[in-house]
Amino acid sequence: MSAADNPQAFPNTGNNTWGLSPEPGMTLRDWFAGQALSGLCSNPNNTSFARKDGDAEMAAVAFMAADAMQI
């Protein structure tokens, strides 16, 4: 995924009254994955977390959903 396809979400330009340094923020893909993961975790029928590799599987599914949202 190129940077043009994956822009920064919520960048801090540093131009504010709190004196914060400029930061690029998370990528749009990361934001979408976090939103997808939130939905996946809220499903009471999801038993993936009960398995040893459940966390990695859930993260992979969340990023697959994020990639699909950017098409």
Side-chain angles (χ1 to χ4, degrees):
M1 180 173 289
S2 71
D5 295 336
N6 191 21
Q8 299 305 119
F10 315 114
N12 174 15
T13 61
N15 187 12
N16 56 54
T17 58
W18 299 292
L20 299 175
S21 300
E23 295 290 334
M26 71 176 82
T27 65
L28 189 58
R29 181 179 184 243
D30 291 338
W31 171 253
F32 283 156
Q35 298 303 302
L37 186 59
S38 177
L40 291 168
C41 290
S42 68
N43 181 354
N45 297 320
N46 187 348
T47 60
S48 294
F49 287 120
R51 294 193 315 273
K52 183 177 181 180
D53 62 342
D55 293 348
E57 180 183 337
M58 293 295 288
V61 169
F63 275 102
M64 285 191 304
D67 291 341
M69 285 187 248
Q70 289 191 297
I71 294 176

